[in-house]
PDB file of all heavy atoms in Angstrom:
ATOM      1  N   ALA A 431     147.070  17.314-201.843  1.00 79.00           N
ATOM      2  CA  ALA A 431     146.415  17.962-200.712  1.00 79.00           C
ATOM      3  C   ALA A 431     147.352  18.930-199.999  1.00 79.00           C
ATOM      4  O   ALA A 431     146.901  19.909-199.399  1.00 79.00           O
ATOM      5  CB  ALA A 431     145.905  16.898-199.743  1.00 79.00           C
ATOM      6  N   GLU A 432     148.664  18.667-200.080  1.00 84.00           N
ATOM      7  CA  GLU A 432     149.633  19.530-199.397  1.00 84.00           C
ATOM      8  C   GLU A 432     150.242  20.565-200.325  1.00 84.00           C
ATOM      9  O   GLU A 432     151.174  21.274-199.932  1.00 84.00           O
ATOM     10  CB  GLU A 432     150.727  18.675-198.775  1.00 84.00           C
ATOM     11  CG  GLU A 432     150.234  17.706-197.715  1.00 84.00           C
ATOM     12  CD  GLU A 432     151.367  16.925-197.091  1.00 84.00           C
ATOM     13  OE1 GLU A 432     152.065  17.508-196.230  1.00 84.00           O
ATOM     14  OE2 GLU A 432     151.569  15.759-197.464  1.00 84.00           O
ATOM     15  N   GLY A 433     149.754  20.650-201.562  1.00 88.00           N
ATOM     16  CA  GLY A 433     150.265  21.643-202.496  1.00 88.00           C
ATOM     17  C   GLY A 433     150.999  21.007-203.658  1.00 88.00           C
ATOM     18  O   GLY A 433     150.963  19.794-203.866  1.00 88.00           O
ATOM     19  N   LYS A 434     151.660  21.838-204.433  1.00 92.00           N
ATOM     20  CA  LYS A 434     152.356  21.366-205.625  1.00 92.00           C
ATOM     21  C   LYS A 434     153.579  20.548-205.253  1.00 92.00           C
ATOM     22  O   LYS A 434     154.246  20.811-204.251  1.00 92.00           O
ATOM     23  CB  LYS A 434     152.751  22.549-206.512  1.00 92.00           C
ATOM     24  CG  LYS A 434     151.565  23.222-207.209  1.00 92.00           C
ATOM     25  CD  LYS A 434     152.044  24.178-208.261  1.00 92.00           C
ATOM     26  CE  LYS A 434     150.867  24.822-208.975  1.00 92.00           C
ATOM     27  NZ  LYS A 434     150.054  23.834-209.703  1.00 92.00           N
ATOM     28  N   ASP A 435     153.860  19.558-206.101  1.00 95.00           N
ATOM     29  CA  ASP A 435     154.990  18.675-205.892  1.00 95.00           C
ATOM     30  C   ASP A 435     155.493  18.235-207.253  1.00 95.00           C
ATOM     31  O   ASP A 435     154.895  18.560-208.295  1.00 95.00           O
ATOM     32  CB  ASP A 435     154.568  17.470-205.042  1.00 95.00           C
ATOM     33  CG  ASP A 435     155.750  16.805-204.337  1.00 95.00           C
ATOM     34  OD1 ASP A 435     156.900  17.107-204.707  1.00 95.00           O
ATOM     35  OD2 ASP A 435     155.510  15.979-203.437  1.00 95.00           O
ATOM     36  N   LEU A 436     156.593  17.526-207.280  1.00 96.00           N
ATOM     37  CA  LEU A 436     157.143  16.971-208.507  1.00 96.00           C
ATOM     38  C   LEU A 436     157.234  15.460-208.360  1.00 96.00           C
ATOM     39  O   LEU A 436     157.832  14.965-207.399  1.00 96.00           O
ATOM     40  CB  LEU A 436     158.545  17.531-208.793  1.00 96.00           C
ATOM     41  CG  LEU A 436     158.697  19.048-208.933  1.00 96.00           C
ATOM     42  CD1 LEU A 436     160.169  19.407-209.076  1.00 96.00           C
ATOM     43  CD2 LEU A 436     157.910  19.560-210.130  1.00 96.00           C
ATOM     44  N   SER A 437     156.638  14.726-209.271  1.00 95.00           N
ATOM     45  CA  SER A 437     156.775  13.271-209.251  1.00 95.00           C
ATOM     46  C   SER A 437     158.067  12.886-209.960  1.00 95.00           C
ATOM     47  O   SER A 437     158.488  13.526-210.930  1.00 95.00           O
ATOM     48  CB  SER A 437     155.580  12.598-209.929  1.00 95.00           C
ATOM     49  OG  SER A 437     155.524  12.939-211.306  1.00 95.00           O
ATOM     50  N   ILE A 438     158.727  11.834-209.439  1.00 96.00           N
ATOM     51  CA  ILE A 438     159.986  11.329-209.994  1.00 96.00           C
ATOM     52  C   ILE A 438     159.769   9.857-210.319  1.00 96.00           C
ATOM     53  O   ILE A 438     159.582   9.041-209.412  1.00 96.00           O
ATOM     54  CB  ILE A 438     161.142  11.492-208.993  1.00 96.00           C
ATOM     55  CG1 ILE A 438     161.215  12.928-208.473  1.00 96.00           C
ATOM     56  CG2 ILE A 438     162.461  11.075-209.624  1.00 96.00           C
ATOM     57  CD1 ILE A 438     162.136  13.101-207.277  1.00 96.00           C
ATOM     58  N   SER A 439     159.775   9.516-211.586  1.00 95.00           N
ATOM     59  CA  SER A 439     159.438   8.145-211.979  1.00 95.00           C
ATOM     60  C   SER A 439     160.541   7.180-211.556  1.00 95.00           C
ATOM     61  O   SER A 439     161.718   7.541-211.496  1.00 95.00           O
ATOM     62  CB  SER A 439     159.234   8.056-213.493  1.00 95.00           C
ATOM     63  OG  SER A 439     160.458   8.265-214.174  1.00 95.00           O
ATOM     64  N   PRO A 440     160.188   5.927-211.236  1.00 93.00           N
ATOM     65  CA  PRO A 440     161.189   4.927-210.847  1.00 93.00           C
ATOM     66  C   PRO A 440     162.002   4.484-212.056  1.00 93.00           C
ATOM     67  O   PRO A 440     161.549   4.560-213.198  1.00 93.00           O
ATOM     68  CB  PRO A 440     160.339   3.788-210.294  1.00 93.00           C
ATOM     69  CG  PRO A 440     159.038   3.907-211.020  1.00 93.00           C
ATOM     70  CD  PRO A 440     158.822   5.374-211.216  1.00 93.00           C
ATOM     71  N   GLY A 441     163.208   4.027-211.790  1.00 92.00           N
ATOM     72  CA  GLY A 441     164.071   3.545-212.863  1.00 92.00           C
ATOM     73  C   GLY A 441     165.518   3.914-212.596  1.00 92.00           C
ATOM     74  O   GLY A 441     165.896   4.269-211.479  1.00 92.00           O
ATOM     75  N   ARG A 442     166.326   3.829-213.650  1.00 94.00           N
ATOM     76  CA  ARG A 442     167.764   4.070-213.534  1.00 94.00           C
ATOM     77  C   ARG A 442     168.172   5.262-214.393  1.00 94.00           C
ATOM     78  O   ARG A 442     167.578   5.542-215.429  1.00 94.00           O
ATOM     79  CB  ARG A 442     168.548   2.823-213.963  1.00 94.00           C
ATOM     80  CG  ARG A 442     168.318   1.616-213.089  1.00 94.00           C
ATOM     81  CD  ARG A 442     169.200   0.448-213.514  1.00 94.00           C
ATOM     82  NE  ARG A 442     168.894  -0.023-214.867  1.00 94.00           N
ATOM     83  CZ  ARG A 442     167.915  -0.868-215.162  1.00 94.00           C
ATOM     84  NH1 ARG A 442     167.134  -1.348-214.203  1.00 94.00           N
ATOM     85  NH2 ARG A 442     167.719  -1.257-216.414  1.00 94.00           N
ATOM     86  N   TYR A 443     169.258   5.921-213.935  1.00 97.00           N
ATOM     87  CA  TYR A 443     169.829   7.019-214.702  1.00 97.00           C
ATOM     88  C   TYR A 443     171.318   7.067-214.375  1.00 97.00           C
ATOM     89  O   TYR A 443     171.731   6.728-213.252  1.00 97.00           O
ATOM     90  CB  TYR A 443     169.160   8.341-214.320  1.00 97.00           C
ATOM     91  CG  TYR A 443     169.203   9.380-215.422  1.00 97.00           C
ATOM     92  CD1 TYR A 443     168.511   9.186-216.616  1.00 97.00           C
ATOM     93  CD2 TYR A 443     169.919  10.559-215.271  1.00 97.00           C
ATOM     94  CE1 TYR A 443     168.540  10.131-217.624  1.00 97.00           C
ATOM     95  CE2 TYR A 443     169.960  11.518-216.273  1.00 97.00           C
ATOM     96  CZ  TYR A 443     169.264  11.299-217.450  1.00 97.00           C
ATOM     97  OH  TYR A 443     169.290  12.237-218.461  1.00 97.00           O
ATOM     98  N   TYR A 444     172.115   7.455-215.346  1.00 98.00           N
ATOM     99  CA  TYR A 444     173.565   7.524-215.177  1.00 98.00           C
ATOM    100  C   TYR A 444     174.027   8.965-215.304  1.00 98.00           C
ATOM    101  O   TYR A 444     173.672   9.653-216.261  1.00 98.00           O
ATOM    102  CB  TYR A 444     174.279   6.667-216.230  1.00 98.00           C
ATOM    103  CG  TYR A 444     174.043   5.186-216.091  1.00 98.00           C
ATOM    104  CD1 TYR A 444     172.914   4.593-216.652  1.00 98.00           C
ATOM    105  CD2 TYR A 444     174.949   4.377-215.415  1.00 98.00           C
ATOM    106  CE1 TYR A 444     172.691   3.228-216.540  1.00 98.00           C
ATOM    107  CE2 TYR A 444     174.734   3.008-215.294  1.00 98.00           C
ATOM    108  CZ  TYR A 444     173.595   2.442-215.864  1.00 98.00           C
ATOM    109  OH  TYR A 444     173.374   1.095-215.741  1.00 98.00           O
ATOM    110  N   VAL A 445     174.830   9.411-214.336  1.00 98.00           N
ATOM    111  CA  VAL A 445     175.398  10.751-214.357  1.00 98.00           C
ATOM    112  C   VAL A 445     176.910  10.620-214.250  1.00 98.00           C
ATOM    113  O   VAL A 445     177.421  10.097-213.251  1.00 98.00           O
ATOM    114  CB  VAL A 445     174.851  11.613-213.204  1.00 98.00           C
ATOM    115  CG1 VAL A 445     175.462  13.008-213.252  1.00 98.00           C
ATOM    116  CG2 VAL A 445     173.338  11.694-213.263  1.00 98.00           C
ATOM    117  N   ASP A 446     177.630  11.027-215.310  1.00 97.00           N
ATOM    118  CA  ASP A 446     179.083  10.838-215.375  1.00 97.00           C
ATOM    119  C   ASP A 446     179.455   9.385-215.099  1.00 97.00           C
ATOM    120  O   ASP A 446     180.456   9.094-214.427  1.00 97.00           O
ATOM    121  CB  ASP A 446     179.799  11.771-214.400  1.00 97.00           C
ATOM    122  CG  ASP A 446     179.726  13.233-214.832  1.00 97.00           C
ATOM    123  OD1 ASP A 446     179.450  13.477-216.020  1.00 97.00           O
ATOM    124  OD2 ASP A 446     179.926  14.122-213.991  1.00 97.00           O
ATOM    125  N   GLY A 447     178.643   8.470-215.584  1.00 98.00           N
ATOM    126  CA  GLY A 447     178.896   7.040-215.426  1.00 98.00           C
ATOM    127  C   GLY A 447     178.461   6.464-214.103  1.00 98.00           C
ATOM    128  O   GLY A 447     178.589   5.254-213.887  1.00 98.00           O
ATOM    129  N   ILE A 448     177.929   7.271-213.196  1.00 98.00           N
ATOM    130  CA  ILE A 448     177.509   6.801-211.875  1.00 98.00           C
ATOM    131  C   ILE A 448     176.048   6.379-211.932  1.00 98.00           C
ATOM    132  O   ILE A 448     175.192   7.150-212.369  1.00 98.00           O
ATOM    133  CB  ILE A 448     177.696   7.908-210.823  1.00 98.00           C
ATOM    134  CG1 ILE A 448     179.161   8.357-210.781  1.00 98.00           C
ATOM    135  CG2 ILE A 448     177.252   7.426-209.447  1.00 98.00           C
ATOM    136  CD1 ILE A 448     179.399   9.563-209.904  1.00 98.00           C
ATOM    137  N   LEU A 449     175.769   5.166-211.509  1.00 97.00           N
ATOM    138  CA  LEU A 449     174.412   4.632-211.544  1.00 97.00           C
ATOM    139  C   LEU A 449     173.577   5.213-210.417  1.00 97.00           C
ATOM    140  O   LEU A 449     173.938   5.123-209.244  1.00 97.00           O
ATOM    141  CB  LEU A 449     174.459   3.107-211.429  1.00 97.00           C
ATOM    142  CG  LEU A 449     173.108   2.398-211.246  1.00 97.00           C
ATOM    143  CD1 LEU A 449     172.194   2.642-212.436  1.00 97.00           C
ATOM    144  CD2 LEU A 449     173.313   0.908-211.017  1.00 97.00           C
ATOM    145  N   CYS A 450     172.428   5.798-210.788  1.00 97.00           N
ATOM    146  CA  CYS A 450     171.444   6.286-209.825  1.00 97.00           C
ATOM    147  C   CYS A 450     170.191   5.427-209.981  1.00 97.00           C
ATOM    148  O   CYS A 450     169.688   5.264-211.096  1.00 97.00           O
ATOM    149  CB  CYS A 450     171.098   7.757-210.076  1.00 97.00           C
ATOM    150  SG  CYS A 450     172.517   8.853-210.079  1.00 97.00           S
ATOM    151  N   GLU A 451     169.696   4.900-208.873  1.00 95.00           N
ATOM    152  CA  GLU A 451     168.539   4.018-208.916  1.00 95.00           C
ATOM    153  C   GLU A 451     167.416   4.563-208.046  1.00 95.00           C
ATOM    154  O   GLU A 451     167.582   4.732-206.845  1.00 95.00           O
ATOM    155  CB  GLU A 451     168.928   2.614-208.434  1.00 95.00           C
ATOM    156  CG  GLU A 451     169.923   1.913-209.343  1.00 95.00           C
ATOM    157  CD  GLU A 451     170.242   0.509-208.864  1.00 95.00           C
ATOM    158  OE1 GLU A 451     170.979   0.402-207.862  1.00 95.00           O
ATOM    159  OE2 GLU A 451     169.755  -0.462-209.470  1.00 95.00           O
ATOM    160  N   ASN A 452     166.310   4.857-208.708  1.00 93.00           N
ATOM    161  CA  ASN A 452     165.065   5.155-208.002  1.00 93.00           C
ATOM    162  C   ASN A 452     164.278   3.859-208.029  1.00 93.00           C
ATOM    163  O   ASN A 452     163.654   3.518-209.029  1.00 93.00           O
ATOM    164  CB  ASN A 452     164.306   6.289-208.690  1.00 93.00           C
ATOM    165  CG  ASN A 452     163.096   6.740-207.894  1.00 93.00           C
ATOM    166  OD1 ASN A 452     162.926   6.378-206.736  1.00 93.00           O
ATOM    167  ND2 ASN A 452     162.257   7.538-208.518  1.00 93.00           N
ATOM    168  N   GLU A 453     164.348   3.114-206.946  1.00 82.00           N
ATOM    169  CA  GLU A 453     163.907   1.721-206.938  1.00 82.00           C
ATOM    170  C   GLU A 453     162.511   1.542-207.521  1.00 82.00           C
ATOM    171  O   GLU A 453     161.567   2.242-207.149  1.00 82.00           O
ATOM    172  CB  GLU A 453     163.933   1.159-205.515  1.00 82.00           C
ATOM    173  CG  GLU A 453     165.302   0.679-205.076  1.00 82.00           C
ATOM    174  CD  GLU A 453     166.250   1.821-204.753  1.00 82.00           C
ATOM    175  OE1 GLU A 453     165.779   2.953-204.618  1.00 82.00           O
ATOM    176  OE2 GLU A 453     167.462   1.563-204.658  1.00 82.00           O
ATOM    177  N   VAL A 454     162.426   0.573-208.451  1.00 59.00           N
ATOM    178  CA  VAL A 454     161.135   0.213-209.038  1.00 59.00           C
ATOM    179  C   VAL A 454     160.289  -0.523-208.014  1.00 59.00           C
ATOM    180  O   VAL A 454     159.064  -0.411-207.994  1.00 59.00           O
ATOM    181  CB  VAL A 454     161.346  -0.653-210.303  1.00 59.00           C
ATOM    182  CG1 VAL A 454     160.027  -1.095-210.880  1.00 59.00           C
ATOM    183  CG2 VAL A 454     162.138   0.132-211.340  1.00 59.00           C
ATOM    184  N   ALA A 455     160.920  -1.252-207.102  1.00 50.00           N
ATOM    185  CA  ALA A 455     160.222  -1.934-206.006  1.00 50.00           C
ATOM    186  C   ALA A 455     159.044  -2.753-206.518  1.00 50.00           C
ATOM    187  O   ALA A 455     157.900  -2.533-206.165  1.00 50.00           O
ATOM    188  CB  ALA A 455     159.748  -0.928-204.952  1.00 50.00           C
ATOM    189  N   LEU A 456     159.325  -3.717-207.396  1.00 50.00           N
ATOM    190  CA  LEU A 456     158.265  -4.576-207.920  1.00 50.00           C
ATOM    191  C   LEU A 456     157.618  -5.367-206.787  1.00 50.00           C
ATOM    192  O   LEU A 456     158.289  -5.964-205.960  1.00 50.00           O
ATOM    193  CB  LEU A 456     158.846  -5.531-208.963  1.00 50.00           C
ATOM    194  CG  LEU A 456     159.379  -4.868-210.242  1.00 50.00           C
ATOM    195  CD1 LEU A 456     159.966  -5.931-211.153  1.00 50.00           C
ATOM    196  CD2 LEU A 456     158.270  -4.124-210.957  1.00 50.00           C
ATOM    197  N   GLN A 457     156.315  -5.358-206.763  1.00 50.00           N
ATOM    198  CA  GLN A 457     155.562  -6.036-205.717  1.00 50.00           C
ATOM    199  C   GLN A 457     154.706  -7.143-206.335  1.00 50.00           C
ATOM    200  O   GLN A 457     154.156  -6.983-207.428  1.00 50.00           O
ATOM    201  CB  GLN A 457     154.669  -5.032-204.974  1.00 50.00           C
ATOM    202  CG  GLN A 457     155.449  -3.886-204.338  1.00 50.00           C
ATOM    203  CD  GLN A 457     154.530  -2.794-203.828  1.00 50.00           C
ATOM    204  OE1 GLN A 457     153.344  -2.785-204.113  1.00 50.00           O
ATOM    205  NE2 GLN A 457     155.095  -1.858-203.089  1.00 50.00           N
ATOM    206  N   GLU A 458     154.611  -8.232-205.636  1.00 49.00           N
ATOM    207  CA  GLU A 458     153.805  -9.343-206.141  1.00 49.00           C
ATOM    208  C   GLU A 458     152.316  -9.027-205.982  1.00 49.00           C
ATOM    209  O   GLU A 458     151.852  -8.658-204.907  1.00 49.00           O
ATOM    210  CB  GLU A 458     154.158 -10.632-205.390  1.00 49.00           C
ATOM    211  CG  GLU A 458     155.562 -11.145-205.697  1.00 49.00           C
ATOM    212  CD  GLU A 458     155.800 -12.498-205.099  1.00 49.00           C
ATOM    213  OE1 GLU A 458     154.809 -13.125-204.642  1.00 49.00           O
ATOM    214  OE2 GLU A 458     156.943 -12.961-205.101  1.00 49.00           O
ATOM    215  N   ASN A 459     151.595  -9.180-207.075  1.00 50.00           N
ATOM    216  CA  ASN A 459     150.141  -8.981-207.077  1.00 50.00           C
ATOM    217  C   ASN A 459     149.543 -10.152-207.848  1.00 50.00           C
ATOM    218  O   ASN A 459     149.235 -10.056-209.027  1.00 50.00           O
ATOM    219  CB  ASN A 459     149.784  -7.644-207.716  1.00 50.00           C
ATOM    220  CG  ASN A 459     148.285  -7.377-207.679  1.00 50.00           C
ATOM    221  OD1 ASN A 459     147.544  -8.052-206.969  1.00 50.00           O
ATOM    222  ND2 ASN A 459     147.847  -6.405-208.450  1.00 50.00           N
ATOM    223  N   GLY A 460     149.397 -11.255-207.141  1.00 48.00           N
ATOM    224  CA  GLY A 460     149.005 -12.473-207.841  1.00 48.00           C
ATOM    225  C   GLY A 460     150.175 -12.967-208.667  1.00 48.00           C
ATOM    226  O   GLY A 460     151.269 -13.204-208.167  1.00 48.00           O
ATOM    227  N   LEU A 461     149.965 -13.109-209.971  1.00 47.00           N
ATOM    228  CA  LEU A 461     151.029 -13.536-210.875  1.00 47.00           C
ATOM    229  C   LEU A 461     151.667 -12.356-211.592  1.00 47.00           C
ATOM    230  O   LEU A 461     152.552 -12.541-212.421  1.00 47.00           O
ATOM    231  CB  LEU A 461     150.444 -14.503-211.925  1.00 47.00           C
ATOM    232  CG  LEU A 461     149.871 -15.807-211.363  1.00 47.00           C
ATOM    233  CD1 LEU A 461     149.269 -16.639-212.487  1.00 47.00           C
ATOM    234  CD2 LEU A 461     150.938 -16.601-210.619  1.00 47.00           C
ATOM    235  N   GLU A 462     151.233 -11.147-211.264  1.00 49.00           N
ATOM    236  CA  GLU A 462     151.702  -9.964-211.970  1.00 49.00           C
ATOM    237  C   GLU A 462     152.593  -9.129-211.065  1.00 49.00           C
ATOM    238  O   GLU A 462     152.358  -9.006-209.864  1.00 49.00           O
ATOM    239  CB  GLU A 462     150.498  -9.115-212.415  1.00 49.00           C
ATOM    240  CG  GLU A 462     150.911  -7.904-213.243  1.00 49.00           C
ATOM    241  CD  GLU A 462     149.692  -7.078-213.650  1.00 49.00           C
ATOM    242  OE1 GLU A 462     148.580  -7.409-213.208  1.00 49.00           O
ATOM    243  OE2 GLU A 462     149.870  -6.110-214.399  1.00 49.00           O
ATOM    244  N   LEU A 463     153.649  -8.593-211.641  1.00 49.00           N
ATOM    245  CA  LEU A 463     154.528  -7.697-210.907  1.00 49.00           C
ATOM    246  C   LEU A 463     154.145  -6.268-211.248  1.00 49.00           C
ATOM    247  O   LEU A 463     154.199  -5.858-212.401  1.00 49.00           O
ATOM    248  CB  LEU A 463     155.992  -7.960-211.269  1.00 49.00           C
ATOM    249  CG  LEU A 463     156.555  -9.319-210.824  1.00 49.00           C
ATOM    250  CD1 LEU A 463     157.994  -9.468-211.292  1.00 49.00           C
ATOM    251  CD2 LEU A 463     156.471  -9.478-209.325  1.00 49.00           C
ATOM    252  N   VAL A 464     153.729  -5.518-210.255  1.00 51.00           N
ATOM    253  CA  VAL A 464     153.264  -4.152-210.465  1.00 51.00           C
ATOM    254  C   VAL A 464     154.371  -3.185-210.057  1.00 51.00           C
ATOM    255  O   VAL A 464     154.824  -3.209-208.907  1.00 51.00           O
ATOM    256  CB  VAL A 464     151.990  -3.871-209.645  1.00 51.00           C
ATOM    257  CG1 VAL A 464     151.516  -2.445-209.876  1.00 51.00           C
ATOM    258  CG2 VAL A 464     150.913  -4.878-209.994  1.00 51.00           C
ATOM    259  N   PRO A 465     154.837  -2.329-210.963  1.00 50.00           N
ATOM    260  CA  PRO A 465     155.903  -1.398-210.605  1.00 50.00           C
ATOM    261  C   PRO A 465     155.437  -0.353-209.608  1.00 50.00           C
ATOM    262  O   PRO A 465     154.279   0.055-209.607  1.00 50.00           O
ATOM    263  CB  PRO A 465     156.274  -0.756-211.935  1.00 50.00           C
ATOM    264  CG  PRO A 465     155.048  -0.885-212.768  1.00 50.00           C
ATOM    265  CD  PRO A 465     154.414  -2.170-212.361  1.00 50.00           C
ATOM    266  N   HIS A 466     156.351   0.045-208.752  1.00 53.00           N
ATOM    267  CA  HIS A 466     156.067   1.093-207.782  1.00 53.00           C
ATOM    268  C   HIS A 466     155.947   2.426-208.514  1.00 53.00           C
ATOM    269  O   HIS A 466     156.522   2.622-209.587  1.00 53.00           O
ATOM    270  CB  HIS A 466     157.201   1.136-206.752  1.00 53.00           C
ATOM    271  CG  HIS A 466     156.933   1.980-205.555  1.00 53.00           C
ATOM    272  ND1 HIS A 466     157.298   3.301-205.489  1.00 53.00           N
ATOM    273  CD2 HIS A 466     156.337   1.700-204.380  1.00 53.00           C
ATOM    274  CE1 HIS A 466     156.948   3.803-204.316  1.00 53.00           C
ATOM    275  NE2 HIS A 466     156.363   2.846-203.620  1.00 53.00           N
ATOM    276  N   SER A 467     155.250   3.377-207.941  1.00 62.00           N
ATOM    277  CA  SER A 467     155.020   4.652-208.608  1.00 62.00           C
ATOM    278  C   SER A 467     156.180   5.622-208.464  1.00 62.00           C
ATOM    279  O   SER A 467     156.122   6.739-208.966  1.00 62.00           O
ATOM    280  CB  SER A 467     153.745   5.306-208.046  1.00 62.00           C
ATOM    281  OG  SER A 467     153.884   5.513-206.644  1.00 62.00           O
ATOM    282  N   GLY A 468     157.259   5.213-207.800  1.00 73.00           N
ATOM    283  CA  GLY A 468     158.404   6.095-207.630  1.00 73.00           C
ATOM    284  C   GLY A 468     158.259   6.952-206.393  1.00 73.00           C
ATOM    285  O   GLY A 468     157.688   6.553-205.387  1.00 73.00           O
ATOM    286  N   CYS A 469     158.779   8.169-206.458  1.00 91.00           N
ATOM    287  CA  CYS A 469     158.708   9.072-205.323  1.00 91.00           C
ATOM    288  C   CYS A 469     158.454  10.478-205.833  1.00 91.00           C
ATOM    289  O   CYS A 469     158.286  10.697-207.030  1.00 91.00           O
ATOM    290  CB  CYS A 469     159.998   9.010-204.488  1.00 91.00           C
ATOM    291  SG  CYS A 469     161.470   9.539-205.395  1.00 91.00           S
ATOM    292  N   THR A 470     158.445  11.430-204.929  1.00 94.00           N
ATOM    293  CA  THR A 470     158.244  12.821-205.317  1.00 94.00           C
ATOM    294  C   THR A 470     159.403  13.657-204.788  1.00 94.00           C
ATOM    295  O   THR A 470     160.262  13.178-204.026  1.00 94.00           O
ATOM    296  CB  THR A 470     156.922  13.374-204.762  1.00 94.00           C
ATOM    297  OG1 THR A 470     157.047  13.566-203.346  1.00 94.00           O
ATOM    298  CG2 THR A 470     155.763  12.438-205.059  1.00 94.00           C
ATOM    299  N   TYR A 471     159.408  14.908-205.176  1.00 96.00           N
ATOM    300  CA  TYR A 471     160.444  15.837-204.739  1.00 96.00           C
ATOM    301  C   TYR A 471     160.520  15.896-203.218  1.00 96.00           C
ATOM    302  O   TYR A 471     161.602  15.882-202.634  1.00 96.00           O
ATOM    303  CB  TYR A 471     160.155  17.220-205.325  1.00 96.00           C
ATOM    304  CG  TYR A 471     161.106  18.308-204.877  1.00 96.00           C
ATOM    305  CD1 TYR A 471     162.425  18.329-205.313  1.00 96.00           C
ATOM    306  CD2 TYR A 471     160.677  19.324-204.023  1.00 96.00           C
ATOM    307  CE1 TYR A 471     163.301  19.335-204.913  1.00 96.00           C
ATOM    308  CE2 TYR A 471     161.541  20.335-203.612  1.00 96.00           C
ATOM    309  CZ  TYR A 471     162.847  20.333-204.061  1.00 96.00           C
ATOM    310  OH  TYR A 471     163.709  21.321-203.656  1.00 96.00           O
ATOM    311  N   PHE A 472     159.374  15.913-202.551  1.00 95.00           N
ATOM    312  CA  PHE A 472     159.349  16.047-201.098  1.00 95.00           C
ATOM    313  C   PHE A 472     159.460  14.712-200.365  1.00 95.00           C
ATOM    314  O   PHE A 472     159.573  14.695-199.147  1.00 95.00           O
ATOM    315  CB  PHE A 472     158.075  16.775-200.653  1.00 95.00           C
ATOM    316  CG  PHE A 472     158.099  18.250-200.951  1.00 95.00           C
ATOM    317  CD1 PHE A 472     157.327  18.775-201.972  1.00 95.00           C
ATOM    318  CD2 PHE A 472     158.906  19.110-200.232  1.00 95.00           C
ATOM    319  CE1 PHE A 472     157.347  20.136-202.256  1.00 95.00           C
ATOM    320  CE2 PHE A 472     158.941  20.468-200.508  1.00 95.00           C
ATOM    321  CZ  PHE A 472     158.156  20.990-201.528  1.00 95.00           C
ATOM    322  N   THR A 473     159.412  13.591-201.086  1.00 93.00           N
ATOM    323  CA  THR A 473     159.505  12.284-200.419  1.00 93.00           C
ATOM    324  C   THR A 473     160.729  11.492-200.839  1.00 93.00           C
ATOM    325  O   THR A 473     160.854  10.333-200.462  1.00 93.00           O
ATOM    326  CB  THR A 473     158.239  11.441-200.689  1.00 93.00           C
ATOM    327  OG1 THR A 473     158.138  11.170-202.100  1.00 93.00           O
ATOM    328  CG2 THR A 473     156.995  12.150-200.213  1.00 93.00           C
ATOM    329  N   GLN A 474     161.633  12.096-201.623  1.00 94.00           N
ATOM    330  CA  GLN A 474     162.839  11.366-202.027  1.00 94.00           C
ATOM    331  C   GLN A 474     163.658  11.017-200.795  1.00 94.00           C
ATOM    332  O   GLN A 474     163.811  11.815-199.868  1.00 94.00           O
ATOM    333  CB  GLN A 474     163.647  12.176-203.033  1.00 94.00           C
ATOM    334  CG  GLN A 474     163.969  13.591-202.609  1.00 94.00           C
ATOM    335  CD  GLN A 474     164.689  14.369-203.699  1.00 94.00           C
ATOM    336  OE1 GLN A 474     165.675  13.910-204.270  1.00 94.00           O
ATOM    337  NE2 GLN A 474     164.210  15.575-203.981  1.00 94.00           N
TER     338      GLN A 474
END
């Protein structure tokens, strides 16, 4: 609704050996753990 954006998937990435974490933020949904959708360029 606010225009074009870039989605950034949750997970881990290493840059020159440095750990970067875009938190998966697993949430309890009954007995199932549902991964978070990550963030976007404008909401990082």
Side-chain angles (χ1 to χ4, degrees):
E432 298 182 78
K434 289 191 179 297
D435 202 346
L436 302 174
S437 64
I438 308 168
S439 68
R442 296 184 297 277
Y443 206 66
Y444 294 85
V445 180
D446 290 341
I448 302 173
L449 171 62
C450 304
E451 295 182 286
N452 187 12
E453 277 75 14
V454 177
L456 294 178
Q457 302 170 349
E458 292 188 12
N459 183 14
L461 297 177
E462 184 181 5
L463 293 178
V464 180
H466 191 268
S467 59
C469 63
T470 72
Y471 176 70
F472 286 107
T473 63
Q474 52 184 310

